[in-house]
């Protein structure tokens, strides 16, 4: 599992498969010279929380 943090606060954990997807998408943007932003959002009550990771990058101009 991959820990997702905000500063020193642990927001949650991503499975290795999802972590690889997020990592690849961010790496791809970096290789293309496109700035990318990843955000994590934790929702729900303790013990029933879901972690959402959102990626955003500008559309290619072409």
């Amino acid at each position: 599992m991959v820990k997702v943090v905000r500063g020193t606060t642990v927001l949650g954990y991503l499975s290795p498969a999802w972590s690889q997807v997020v990592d690849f998408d961010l790496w791809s943007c970096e290789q293309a010279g496109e700035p990318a932003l990843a955000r994590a959002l934790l929702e729900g009550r303790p013990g029933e929380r879901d972690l959402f990771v959102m990626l955003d990058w500008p559309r290619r101009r072409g």
Side-chain angles (χ1 to χ4, degrees):
M1 300 301 264
V2 176
K3 189 185 318 183
V4 178
V5 297
R6 181 179 184 187
T8 59
T9 304
V10 177
L11 297 177
Y13 297 88
L14 287 175
S15 70
W18 272 112
S19 176
Q20 288 176 356
V21 168
V22 171
D23 187 50
F24 178 77
D25 286 346
L26 290 172
W27 177 84
S28 296
C29 289
E30 183 180 290
Q31 295 304 307
E34 299 287 343
L37 174 67
R39 286 194 173 177
L41 175 66
L42 187 64
E43 289 189 350
R45 297 183 301 183
E48 298 177 3
R49 292 184 174 162
D50 289 316
L51 178 67
F52 300 92
V53 175
M54 297 160 280
L55 298 176
D56 185 33
W57 52 88
R59 290 182 182 238
R60 290 185 176 256
R61 297 177 193 168

